[in-house]
Each structure stands twice: as structure tokens, then as C-alpha cells.
Amino acid sequence: MEISALFDNVDMAESALVRLQALGIFPERYKIRSLYASAGRTDSAHIAGGWGGMPASPIYTNAVVSPPYDMVLDNSAFEGGEPPSQEVQLTLTVGNGIAARTRSALISNYGRQVRTGI
């Protein structure tokens, strides 16, 4: 079953993955997707890393790396304004038997708009 949740930034999403593993929940696959436009891109979202298997150690290699603010805010029209959103979507694939427990754990780890797909 596929479950998705929104997090404020990549660090919070990765932290949630580590905490799921500590609870004995090992997703079959996961994806972290940035929901903001990066420097030099015109689309509103892009995928970094693609699908990855959950490694045995809590070190994840396919995480989204945010560009520094000065790279994104190189236009003077945006100076002094609010920094760009770093919101990310974490999508997991887990077995049906642990879907409810996974949803609960994501909510406990500050996941917003936790949704279950099929």
C-alpha cells in the first residue's frame, strides 16, 4: 500500500524514515519529492533520487538536497522576502498489515496530509 505525507523539509522526512525503522517498520520503497521550484527550473515540482530500497543502516542516499537560498533568490525582486518553501512529500510503499501503524507513526513525526493510496 502506498502512503504519502508532507513535511516541512528534507531533514524532517529523513528523520521520520529513521524513526519508522526504529519502530520495526521497513518500507519496501520510498521517494522524497521536493514541492518547490529550484533554481533554473520552470516546473513546480521535481523528483530527486527516484525510488530507493530501504537500506539496513539509517543512512539514506537518495534524499533531496536543497540549493542554498542565495542560489534561489538571485533576483533582486525577491530580496527581503520570504525564503522559498522547502516542503517535501515522502511517499512510502508498505504491506497492508502495517499501513495503519505507518500512518500513525508518520503523523506522530509531524507528517501533514498523510494519505493512503492503493
Side-chain angles (χ1 to χ4, degrees), residues 36-46 67-75 78 84:
Y36 68 94
S38 64
R41 304 255 336 201
T42 56
D43 56 341
S44 62
H46 67 280
Y69 285 150
D70 58 343
M71 287 178 60
V72 176
L73 299 177
D74 58 356
N75 188 340
F78 295 107

Side-chain angles (χ1 to χ4, degrees), residues 7-21 30-32 54 58-65 88-90 92 106 109:
F7 289 91
D8 289 338
N9 55 46
V10 174
D11 291 336
M12 290 180 73
E14 288 179 339
S15 193
L17 282 170
V18 171
R19 289 180 182 144
L20 286 173
Q21 188 177 17
Y30 70 93
K31 176 173 46 175
I32 297 175
M54 181 67 80
I59 299 172
Y60 304 97
T61 57
N62 60 343
V64 179
V65 178
V88 296
Q89 179 182 34
L90 170 64
L92 308 166
L106 288 172
N109 286 294

Side-chain angles (χ1 to χ4, degrees), residues 93-106:
T93 302
V94 295
N96 290 338
I98 59 170
R101 188 170 164 223
T102 303
R103 283 179 47 90
S104 177
L106 288 172

Side-chain angles (χ1 to χ4, degrees), residues 3-9 12-13 33-35 87-91 106-107 109-115:
I3 300 173
S4 65
L6 297 180
F7 289 91
D8 289 338
N9 55 46
M12 290 180 73
R33 186 172 75 113
S34 174
L35 299 178
E87 190 171 57
V88 296
Q89 179 182 34
L90 170 64
T91 304
L106 288 172
I107 292 168
N109 286 294
Y110 306 105
R112 298 186 319 279
Q113 296 183 10
V114 179
R115 297 182 180 170

